[in-house]
Amino acid sequence: KLFAPAAVIVAVLSPLIVPTTNAQGCASTCPPLDDTGKAIPSLCVNSTVPATYLAKSHSICHPLPADVPSTPPDFKLDDYADSIVVLANHYIGCNAGRRESGVFAHVAQRYHDMLNAAPESDANERKKIIFVTSLKGGSACERWADMYQSDGVRLYPDSEVTPREMPWTVSDVDYRLRDDYFTTPFGHPSYVVLAPSRLGGAVDDEGGALVVRNKFVGPCCGFVRYSDCQPDTARELDAMLSDAIDAILLAMEEDAEEPAAADGEGMVEPPPTTTIPTTTTTEPATSETATVIDESCIVGQFSEWSPCSIDCGPTEGTQFRWRSVVDNRPALATEAAVTDEGEALVGPEQQNRREACPSPVEVRSCSPADEESVLQPSSVDGTTTSSAVDARSSLCVPVCIPEFGGSKPKIVEVATGFDSPRDVAFHPTPGLHLGDRSEGRDFNPAVGEEAWVANGANHSISIVAALGSEAHQTTISRRDRGYYHYLVNVTALSFNVVPPSVSGRDAAKDSFAYFSVCNDNNNDYMGSKEENYFMGPTLYDTDPDPAKGNLVNRLGEPCNSAEQCTFLHADMLHESPSCIGIAHDPEVDTAYGTVYWAFDSTGDRKDGQLVRFDFQQPHGPGSMDHSVAAIRRYPEVKLHKAEDGVHAGMVVHPTRREIFISNPGDGTILAVDADSGTYARTAREEYPIYSNRLPSFEYSVWECVNQRVFAKGLDKPTGLALSPDGNRLFVAERGTGKIHVHDVESGALVGTIDTGYTSINGMSFSPDTNILHFVDDSSNSLVAVKPRGACSTQYQTRLTEGYEQALTAATLALGEDFSITKNFTCVANPIPPNASLFDQVHVGTGYASDDPNVQAMAGMDAAAALLANRTDCGLESDLNFDALLLGGYYCHQCLPINNGSMCDTGGICRNVQWRGFVCDNEFIVRVDPVTGDISLYEPDGTEPISFEDITLRIGVTYRFTIVDDNLVSVHASEDRSEPALSLPGNACGCAKNGPLLLTIDDSTPGPVYLRSKVYLRSNVASSSVIGIKVEQSSDATMEMQMKDTEALTSGTDSDEMITADDTGASAAVMPELLRLTTVVASLTALLLSLGD
């Protein structure tokens, strides 16, 4: 349900800025330009490749060493510092870029045949040229690479070149090659040619031994479908690559110190030009499959059961046994056939999903209290001693929890006044965001720690600055201007706390100190619109640098230290409605570090699901491009929420690579292997609500994930926190108010405290003091758990020694693939169900458009102005409220609560399209630094306002923002001897470089006076006074009468009506018009009453 015209529906729910026509498209411009015209730092021609890029290891998924012995299992580019390296940026799927992959395969093999004379069996021989394909987007790397090589044969039917050894295909699941060498928005498909730096051309002296010599977008860029790009067009890539490679070969030959050897081992002549047919080759729709030899699985004998992982206490442990299992069956034949549109045909073997061999590992539960389970061998060699049996007991020797101290810890409220707090996290760089002054308030960034609290009831983030300092601790709250979408019912937040010194990421790409939130809402605009499930995590950058645009005023401009500031989101994805938990992944493999795991409580409408969001390169404030992201659903991880407002804790262990997840609806804690699972199929058919349709946007279903129940039997578990050393997991039990401590290695319960609170939500450790903090919903408080004294003994894991020895033995026997949580018999299902679980809300336009340009600034069509007149605001009306944000509206009669604006009480907003909004109860105050003369401006005005034209309305709070350091105060009299009015929260009734808030009520004298005071260098004060009229109480009475009359004439109860104070619905009706129509309204009311 979208408004017309459809061209206005752009691709991202972003605050929009003034449009520009300077976008990247399919140009080879470098650095590339985003949709705002901003240049994105990238490797360009003559750039030296950073040594950190060259040192990264990449695994080759095709061809495999078993098929081509000269193929190494993995490689680093710095091993090929004297070679030519050609990189291709490809995506799986039936897009036009598929056409070029066959050409690339042909060119790669042709140059390999001419230049790489090493024997096929020698994988260690350094090649003179290598070709590497970065393949991504899901699906099986081997399957698509096979098709690319088959395409190479079909595209060159008269050639003797058959792709086999080249190219090397890398399953770029973390998008490292793409993000390092083809930084978005550089187009797809695209290519980079690297040459040894000794040949010259580098514009810098830093970096590694390879230099970018060529970088360009392929000829099929811009075509949507596979069939749109004809073979002749795709074959243009041949000449583009050949010209680039031949030029480097010539430079190499000229650079050689010795002439080429007579035996031909030196440099060769540039290859001859390949004859390219001019006619289009007909591509077959089917292909033959290999004969399957019926071989069996070779299964060994099971070992003895391992000892129980736990030997005391009430916690259930595990035992396992293992055996050798060898799958001696040949691999299923890979189908290389495609349809006319390039869609890969899935053969019957893949559809039937041949059963896996039996599992090499079996696991069962055990309990110290269970004699049958307890009386197991206590060591790997199978011996059992009486002392070992006697040692097992249901009672454990108490351990001291360092975070609680030697005795019961002290439970202390450290901050209050929140509004249904759902989660708490600590900023990794206290003071970065607030600095020493913000919104007219002073802060002390060098003091204490900084807690960020998610408030579900008022959709905000509260920042507790200088936490722990009695002199300096204070709290300030922030929202997004579109909080009803980006922060609505915010229930979880998580920071990227991995600094560049640890991650090794480029400063221009690193997302350290970003945070993401999860919103427990199905996108219903706070109950004013039918839910459409177009909801997911929002990403924010906390750096307040004005050049970055992350912190803005109402008008969308970088806010100064005096103005009210709002977040401007860096990105948002829309695939997890009603999300109640989120955790940043501390991995260091991706280029940007924007991987977050989310608790999607909607899932498939039966069970919630775990979802992995990789924002990859955030689109940034003001941009509109959502074409780059990778979202993976894990439907096997079944999650269930409790009642609304209950948080689900999530935390990723940095070394074990396990995600611990509170499952409040089931009373369990799950542990999921973050690096497990395999691609099964695209998610676009089952879950058709997603952010972008371009191939660079991965949306997939992953199956066969390793998971286990870490703890069970809990009464509504919520917050989770890992101890600073990673050895203990702290679990908040909302139903009892207790905090349990579990040993991470064994899962054993090692401690419990009763907090006395009844609605605990999120938890987090402060990074400097290592104190556990939690938020409590009903008391609206932030609480610290402070240890009493130090532990007298060192903490020891509860994992039994015999179990550890058994793990070591099994790992040595089975290799790194051994796991007690892995489902070895799981086979991913590649066939999507013949049904969709949701309806796509953006059909044919916007996010669902095949046109890539719709996700650029070109989508900001001037026709969006037509939305200003839309009044079909009903719950089930045709107007899609997402369209209002997409159309550049932050103030509109259909948006919730005061027309969507954040005006102070009684203010009426005015939309400034593509930028933001202004409020009629806000004035910018400027004071002449010499005379002290006061001038008032509208927030977007350039000329002063005449004081005589202003009348302050009763019931309205006015914001006077003083933008300089000259003191301004409010008075009841123009008499300079009279003191200023004492205001709520502002006893002096004054402000400088900040806001002066004045609420007008029946007791407010009229007029009121603003007085300035300026101190000159001679210390002689200069002062000025202005008077502003105040509305009489009778005007407010008439306005209320008018509202009551409108309610009568519309047949709506006045107490149910949306008033101007609530939504600004009367934005166009000025008080003067109200006074002129009062008589008519009164007569109408009288006639209606007579009629009744």
Side-chain angles (χ1 to χ4, degrees), residues 106 152-161 274-279 281:
H106 172 87
V153 174
R154 284 194 293 269
L155 286 166
Y156 293 86
D158 299 327
S159 174
E160 295 182 357
V161 174
T274 302
T275 302
I276 300 175
T278 57
T279 57
T281 303

Side-chain angles (χ1 to χ4, degrees), residues 821-834:
T821 62
K822 181 176 181 178
N823 182 353
F824 287 89
T825 62
C826 179
V827 179
N829 179 13
I831 310 300
N834 189 25

Side-chain angles (χ1 to χ4, degrees), residues 823-885:
N823 182 353
F824 287 89
T825 62
C826 179
V827 179
N829 179 13
I831 310 300
N834 189 25
S836 293
L837 298 170
F838 302 87
D839 293 328
Q840 170 60 274
V841 296
H842 296 281
V843 180
T845 56
Y847 289 86
S849 177
D850 285 328
D851 180 6
N853 291 323
V854 82
Q855 301 222 11
M857 279 297 186
M860 292 170 51
D861 195 290
L866 298 176
L867 284 173
N869 300 321
R870 292 293 291 266
T871 58
D872 49 336
C873 307
L875 189 70
E876 299 181 357
S877 67
D878 287 340
L879 178 62
N880 187 322
F881 284 14
D882 295 338
L884 298 175
L885 290 175

